[in-house]
Amino acid sequence: MSRVDGYGWAIDRSRTVSVTVNGRAYTGHPGDTLASVLFAHDVVALGTSVKYRRPRGIAGSWTEDPTGLVQIEEPFPEPMLQATAVEITDGLVARGVNGQGRLAQVPDHARYDRLHTHCDVLVVGAGPAGLLAARDAARAGADVVLVDDRPTPGGALTGTERIEGRPAREFVADTVAELATHPGVTHRQRTTAFGHYDDGFVLALERRTDHLRDAPTTRSRQRVHRIRAARIVIATGAIERPFVFDDDDRPGILLASAARDLLHRHGVLAGHDVVVATTDDSAYAAALDLAGAGARVRVLDARAAVPTTWAARCADAGVPVEAGTTVHGTRGTERITAVVVGDDRAEVPCDLLLVSGGRNPAVHLFSHVGGPLAYDEARGAFVPGGELDGVEVVGAASGAVDPLEEMPPLVLWRTDGDPARQFVDLARDATVADVARAVGAGMTHLEHVKRYTTIGTGHDQGKTSGMLAAGITAELLGRPVAGLGTTTFRPPYTPVAFAALAGRARGELFDPVRTTAIHDRHVRLGAEFEDVGQWRRPRHYPRPGEDMTAAVLRECAAVRGGVGILDGSTLGKIDVQGPDAEVLLDQLYTNLMSTLKVGRVRYGVMCGHDGMVVDDGTVLRLAPDRYLITTTTGNAAAVLDRMEEWIQTEWPGLRVRLTSVTDHWSVFAVVGPRSRAVVGRVFPDVDVSNEAFGFMTWLDTTLDGVPVRLARISFSGELAYEVSVASEYAPALWDRLLAAGAPEGITPYGTETMHVLRAEKGYPIIGQDTDGTVSPHDLGLGWAVSKKKTDFVGKRSFARPANHDAARKQLVSLLPTDATTKLPEGSQIVSFCDAGALPPPPVPMLGHVTSSYHSAELGRPFALALVRAGRERVGEVVHVPVGTTLVPARIGGSVLVDPEGARRDG
Amino acid sequence: MQLITCPWCGPREETEFHYGGAATVPYPADPAALGDDAWARFVFVRPNPKGPATEQWSHAAGCRRWFTAVRDTRTHRFLATVDIQPEVPR
Ligand SMILES: [Zn+2]
């Protein structure tokens, strides 16, 4: 055991926690991390590296560690976590990652959540600089949010320092206590600000339950805080980096600051026979602290001279210091046994090598949002190099020099050795040889070297390795680091689980589901549903033993032979009101709407400026200054947006207002030759005869005092009545219609049947039979394009020569000549076919199948297709590749059922 | 995530807004009078300045008003957002 008494302010020694790592049981204390528990048991090796399968241990003490990755098995499988950042709880089971982690194969039932916060000042980092900034802001009366990623505040303070005349831990406790007295202050530990975006927007991940033994099940496991702050103080400290030498990835090599952290925080002595290799003053404190805790320590300072005060303290403590000496390699297998030192390559036995190669200010959050970085030549680090509105960088993150520093550091990236054994990025197994290859391939910018070598793209995002890669690249190129460009830091600062980002937007809550007012009726009727936009619509209503084909054939036959009923409530509905309503509609529809008489209905087509169809629907004129228009279900919002854009941007001042009433009105289509009897029975006061209530007219009536609108609109070619009612009365009306239609065997039908019925009539579905390159004329809807209007959206494009090309694709029907094959939608149509074989590629394409169904009425499958010069080719046989065969199909007119339109009026 | 200042609602998150293209390409007064080339320019060609661009935006998930914005395409900064002034219809 390497637990030392008198240290470890973060752990609670009165309690014991048991964990299992790589199959072996270990005990630690609350406040320990997996890393500190392993070091306490003298375990340094953990797994193997991603590419070369070299043994890897733990090289840091917090999220800077590039190599100590674990797979958590219990309580819930999670891959690629840092042993240094996993707080232990009883029963935790982990193993070292061998190359790659493994995702959970079971659903994650934990809760994840998000919280929005607005504040005057956000302080990131609760080290001394952050605590002081938060305290200043709080005393000034600001709303302050203070977040810090570690379990406890204090940042890199070891507890040995003195601040404001008090021991550091006392200062931290006092300051935190004072902050708690300010009502405007929110202070969260275990909360990592991982992304900084424009205008003071920061995302932070709070870990709420993993460290608890018995977390309430109602508490979310993690929470993403979305913080918008008027001012942001970045107090994220600095991250120590190593330097590079042969076999620098061996377990038992640790950052000097990490060893110090483990000692003071967790009471763990990471090694007993310690070599400290440094290029600056900061490692001396680590050397002295470890020696004070009982380790045998020697210091190798790469600088020609040593700082005299530190050296004197080392002499007092019996710690030998050598100047101008450094490490060139290591020995050992699963743990370091010796370091190769100095020009004579002497081997010095040890069980721990501490490395300190300088400090990288944690400028990530400053850089995320575009803060410029500058290279500090003297310290070999990127520091904030300019101003950002509303952003302040304080403390070590700003590049401030430690006041205890006696002598400037030596900027050292690597020592002499074998480039292939000098690991720059332990997370990616990338060596100096890889950097040399990138430079040899012509990369001269850090961003290119990063992409070529993958350095800095691991879980740690190059916290320790990024600067080394820059320095080594500069050395290899013989250029100054400042001339290589800077690498830009991007979110996230530390890995964030997708589950946390998704929050509650999972499963049913991922996307809103819209259901109609009678959804429960559909469910009771056994409907199979399909998603249409956000709507959930009945696709068909299978009876026991029926598949979709059988159900749809039955429903189709029922409609064409008797009466069916469809819930059409999802159709987009826009109430258009105002004296200029007709002006607007004349401009947006291809046909004339101003001439539509009150009480009548007109089918309308909308095009884009390019003259291609974007939507279609019916238009009811309710009054001289009022229309109700319908849109396709999936296009309702887009059509409303388009209309709003017109009246607000192109023709502002037009006296017209638009209101979406899609949800307000429920619409049921009662369809089929027997529909008149059913509707007449429900509405005995209405004369439903064709003479009194003609096709494409509407009228208002009441049912038990409730206003109801009836319209003679048909999307199937059959006699049909659309019955509309305010949605709160929809269930009652649906029940009435079904009851009244019982003698006729009224059959509820779904969207699939609706599609078959409309396709049999050649009615296109915009977006299925069209693709943005199809004009009304291509669809055979030239009759719906006004020749009287001087202009409407799309009209000018119809005059383009390309719109009059006889070879344009046109909507036609296709009947497979075998009368049995249902052509797959999307199939290509080819022309020249020699003895059933495709011509050599490129095979000339004539078009494609847009809709394809089995028809009960025709007793065979049929399809709609867009075919080049289709209308001229009626009667021709073309071929459709289906799998490995070519299916012949005959082109026909687009209307296959009742081309004379005799059924429409019953 | 930028804040965009809606002339009606004030600063709101950019996800509430919908970009509506250049504000400097009005619908031609008389499309029929334009030749194919001029019409094609209206339909397909849009300015792409490096620097301040005058654009239409709508506060789609807010007040649903369209407004004119001047945005620097180099920095994405909004230099101004102004209400569209009502005009007399043709
Ligand atoms: Zn607004």
Side-chain angles (χ1 to χ4, degrees):
Chain A
M1 279 295 288
S2 295
R3 198 74 81 164
V4 281
D5 289 336
Y7 296 86
W9 49 259
I11 59 168
D12 173 6
R13 291 182 194 244
S14 69
R15 279 174 48 207
T16 299
V17 175
S18 301
V19 299
T20 305
V21 182
N22 286 341
R24 291 192 51 183
Y26 300 98
T27 57
H29 303 291
D32 265 321
T33 63
L34 270 180
S36 66
V37 168
L38 291 171
F39 275 115
H41 289 81
D42 300 316
V43 176
V44 295
L46 198 50
T48 54
S49 70
V50 64
K51 205 155 94 188
Y52 302 122
R53 302 293 154 138
R54 289 168 66 101
R56 286 291 166 79
I58 295 160
S61 67
W62 187 237
T63 57
E64 80 283 1
D65 183 14
T67 182
L69 291 175
V70 288
Q71 166 83 38
I72 304 296
E73 305 286 8
E74 298 286 343
F76 185 79
E78 233 181 325
M80 309 287 278
L81 298 187
Q82 291 166 302
T84 51
V86 174
E87 295 180 63
I88 62 163
T89 47
D90 256 328
L92 187 76
V93 178
R95 59 177 173 77
V97 168
N98 296 317
Q100 284 178 330
R102 184 179 58 79
L103 284 170
Q105 302 299 306
V106 292
D108 182 358
H109 293 297
R111 279 182 164 204
Y112 299 86
D113 217 337
R114 69 168 53 157
L115 211 62
H116 294 260
T117 304
H118 289 77
C119 61
D120 298 322
V121 183
L122 167 66
V123 179
V124 182
L131 287 171
L132 289 173
R135 192 179 69 183
D136 284 351
R139 284 179 179 175
D143 277 339
V144 179
V145 173
L146 169 64
V147 297
D148 184 88
D149 58 351
R150 300 201 75 151
T152 50
L157 291 172
T158 60
T160 58
E161 307 85 351
R162 291 185 72 81
I163 302 175
E164 294 185 338
R166 283 163 292 175
R169 298 297 310 156
E170 219 175 289
F171 160 79
V172 171
D174 290 351
T175 310
V176 168
E178 181 187 333
L179 289 174
T181 66
H182 291 284
V185 174
T186 307
H187 173 194
R188 295 184 198 283
Q189 292 296 137
R190 295 189 177 88
T191 304
T192 308
F194 64 84
H196 182 185
Y197 308 85
D198 294 297
D199 296 327
F201 189 60
V202 169
L203 295 180
L205 180 76
E206 182 183 12
R207 301 173 299 282
R208 307 183 70 211
T209 60
D210 285 0
H211 62 288
L212 299 175
R213 201 169 29 166
D214 300 304
T217 52
T218 52
R219 182 177 297 180
S220 58
R221 180 181 180 224
Q222 295 178 352
R223 196 150 72 172
V224 172
H225 292 273
R226 302 167 68 86
I227 305 166
R228 181 76 73 172
R231 193 159 71 82
I232 294 176
V233 179
I234 298 173
T236 44
I239 298 165
E240 189 173 37
R241 64 166 184 260
F243 55 88
V244 174
F245 45 87
D246 287 11
D247 301 321
D248 54 359
D249 64 331
R250 209 178 294 288
I253 303 175
L254 193 60
L255 290 170
S257 59
R260 207 171 170 226
D261 198 33
L262 285 164
L263 176 63
H264 293 290
R265 199 176 281 266
H266 303 291
V268 169
L269 194 55
H272 300 269
D273 206 351
V274 184
V275 174
V276 179
T278 187
T279 63
D280 69 4
D281 288 5
S282 70
Y284 283 84
L288 287 166
D289 285 359
L290 266 67
R296 209 163 71 91
V297 183
R298 63 189 289 175
V299 176
L300 311 176
D301 193 327
R303 295 174 293 185
V306 296
T308 48
T309 312
W310 283 114
R313 288 181 61 189
C314 285
D316 290 348
V319 173
V321 177
E322 283 177 63
T325 308
T326 190
V327 175
H328 291 275
T330 64
R331 299 282 183 263
T333 49
E334 293 286 300
R335 179 167 192 159
I336 193 167
T337 54
V339 288
V340 180
V341 169
D343 295 336
D344 56 353
R345 304 294 193 262
E347 290 196 13
V348 177
C350 69
D351 66 357
L352 181 71
L353 170 61
L354 299 187
V355 188
S356 177
R359 263 159 214 270
N360 302 331
V363 293
H364 304 68
L365 293 177
F366 183 71
S367 177
H368 283 177
V369 74
L373 301 181
Y375 182 63
D376 181 341
E377 191 84 44
R379 318 198 70 80
F382 285 111
V383 296
E387 300 288 312
L388 271 184
D389 280 352
V391 180
E392 199 184 335
V393 187
V394 300
S398 72
V401 176
D402 185 343
L404 295 180
E405 182 176 293
E406 223 183 297
M407 248 177 74
L410 169 73
V411 176
L412 176 69
W413 308 119
R414 60 182 281 244
T415 62
D416 292 339
D418 175 3
R421 287 165 63 193
Q422 298 190 322
F423 288 85
V424 181
D425 187 346
L426 275 62
R428 302 299 312 160
D429 251 0
T431 64
V432 172
D434 293 317
V435 179
R437 258 190 292 278
V439 168
M443 313 291 155
T444 58
H445 192 288
L446 291 184
E447 289 287 349
H448 294 153
V449 173
K450 177 177 167 179
R451 279 157 183 74
Y452 198 85
T453 60
T454 76
I455 288 173
T457 62
H459 65 276
D460 64 329
Q461 290 283 291
K463 288 183 179 62
T464 55
S465 61
M467 198 59 239
L468 296 175
I472 291 167
T473 302
E475 269 183 11
L476 291 171
L477 285 167
R479 295 189 195 173
V481 171
L484 300 180
T486 51
T487 170
T488 306
F489 294 98
R490 294 184 187 84
Y493 176 69
T494 48
V496 180
F498 279 116
L501 293 175
R504 295 192 180 199
R506 296 200 290 183
E508 284 205 324
L509 297 179
F510 177 66
D511 195 32
V513 173
R514 300 174 78 182
T515 55
T516 70
I518 55 160
H519 188 71
D520 60 333
R521 267 64 173 177
H522 299 317
V523 172
R524 252 179 276 146
L525 285 165
E528 290 287 334
F529 292 92
E530 74 166 332
D531 291 335
V532 183
Q534 288 176 326
W535 287 101
R536 192 146 292 168
R537 300 193 69 180
R539 192 172 190 191
H540 57 101
Y541 301 80
R543 288 182 179 163
E546 279 184 340
D547 60 7
M548 185 170 88
T549 304
V552 170
L553 286 172
R554 172 181 51 75
E555 291 174 9
C556 285
V559 173
R560 293 230 187 268
V563 60
I565 185 166
L566 171 86
D567 182 2
S569 304
T570 63
L571 274 184
K573 305 171 204 75
I574 301 169
D575 193 340
V576 183
Q577 295 192 43
D580 294 325
E582 59 180 27
V583 180
L584 178 69
L585 297 191
D586 272 352
Q587 182 67 6
L588 296 181
Y589 281 102
T590 59
N591 34 5
L592 264 172
M593 294 302 172
S594 53
T595 57
L596 185 65
K597 289 185 172 57
V598 173
R600 302 198 67 90
V601 183
R602 190 165 284 167
Y603 171 75
V605 177
M606 283 188 186
C607 288
H609 290 310
D610 59 1
M612 301 306 160
V613 178
V614 294
D615 203 57
D616 69 345
T618 54
V619 177
L620 284 69
R621 191 159 202 172
L622 305 182
D625 60 352
R626 188 173 184 189
Y627 294 81
L628 181 73
I629 70 168
T630 68
T631 73
T632 48
T633 294
N635 222 3
V639 170
L640 182 64
D641 284 349
R642 184 183 156 74
M643 296 174 75
E644 276 291 348
E645 183 177 354
W646 259 88
I647 63 177
Q648 290 189 38
T649 69
E650 293 293 352
W651 285 358
L654 214 56
R655 294 162 302 166
V656 58
R657 290 292 176 264
L658 310 171
T659 309
S660 168
V661 292
T662 301
D663 300 82
H664 307 49
W665 289 92
S666 290
V667 184
F668 307 128
V670 183
V671 183
R674 310 296 299 275
S675 59
R676 181 166 285 139
V678 177
V679 173
R681 200 171 294 141
V682 177
F683 302 98
D685 301 341
V686 176
D687 182 349
V688 293
S689 71
N690 193 51
E691 295 68 34
F693 189 5
F695 185 60
M696 294 303 256
T697 64
W698 62 268
L699 55 83
D700 280 345
T701 183
T702 58
L703 183 60
D704 294 350
V706 174
V708 174
R709 179 169 296 145
L710 302 177
R712 281 280 312 279
I713 296 169
S714 179
F715 195 41
S716 59
E718 299 296 330
L719 174 68
Y721 297 82
E722 283 188 0
V723 187
S724 302
V725 71
S727 287
E728 57 263 46
Y729 297 107
L733 178 62
W734 171 268
D735 293 345
R736 289 275 192 105
L737 289 166
L738 247 60
E744 280 76 18
I746 193 167
T747 301
Y749 69 96
T751 51
E752 190 68 18
T753 299
M754 175 188 82
H755 281 181
V756 178
L757 297 172
R758 64 87 202 174
E760 289 172 342
K761 293 291 291 179
Y763 299 152
I765 299 271
I766 307 307
Q768 174 169 336
D769 299 297
T770 68
D771 62 3
T773 66
V774 180
S775 74
H777 310 88
D778 299 336
L779 294 173
L781 297 173
W783 59 267
V785 177
S786 167
K787 294 191 172 55
K788 290 182 195 150
K789 287 193 285 189
T790 54
D791 191 37
F792 55 83
V793 174
K795 181 180 170 78
R796 175 61 186 83
S797 288
F798 294 153
R800 294 163 66 240
N803 279 55
H804 300 277
D805 184 351
R808 286 185 69 80
K809 289 180 186 170
Q810 294 163 336
L811 189 70
V812 291
S813 67
L814 278 187
L815 292 173
T817 56
D818 64 6
T820 55
T821 305
K822 183 174 158 253
L823 301 171
E825 288 175 356
S827 296
Q828 296 293 323
I829 299 161
V830 298
S831 58
F832 309 106
C833 179
D834 189 15
L838 281 172
V843 178
M845 298 296 177
L846 280 180
H848 67 280
V849 174
T850 59
S851 296
S852 182
Y853 312 98
H854 288 286
S855 168
E857 181 78 8
L858 303 170
R860 54 171 300 154
F862 73 105
L864 294 178
L866 287 168
V867 179
R868 289 204 176 283
R871 288 197 284 271
E872 272 178 31
R873 291 176 190 259
V874 168
E876 272 183 37
V877 172
V878 291
H879 289 79
V880 179
V882 178
T884 54
T885 61
L886 283 175
V887 178
R890 191 175 302 280
I891 296 177
S894 61
V895 186
L896 292 171
V897 169
D898 184 27
E900 316 79 37
R903 299 182 177 190
R904 181 189 91 180
D905 296 328
Chain B
M1 170 117 65
Q2 275 185 275
L3 290 177
I4 297 175
T5 303
C6 169
W8 300 86
C9 307
R12 292 288 188 276
E13 309 237 330
E14 68 177 82
T15 50
E16 294 181 13
F17 292 85
H18 172 76
Y19 169 69
T24 52
V25 188
Y27 189 76
D30 184 7
L34 299 182
D36 282 349
D37 282 354
W39 177 250
R41 270 198 299 280
F42 162 70
V43 175
F44 299 111
V45 180
R46 291 294 179 272
N48 186 21
K50 181 180 180 181
T54 306
E55 300 171 335
Q56 295 184 154
W57 286 76
S58 91
H59 192 188
C63 65
R64 295 192 61 77
R65 296 294 299 174
W66 283 82
F67 58 90
T68 303
V70 182
R71 184 178 65 98
D72 190 324
T73 59
R74 295 166 301 188
T75 62
H76 301 309
R77 289 281 131 201
F78 282 76
L79 308 177
T81 52
V82 290
D83 180 26
I84 290 168
Q85 294 303 309
E87 290 167 15
V88 179
R90 287 179 283 181

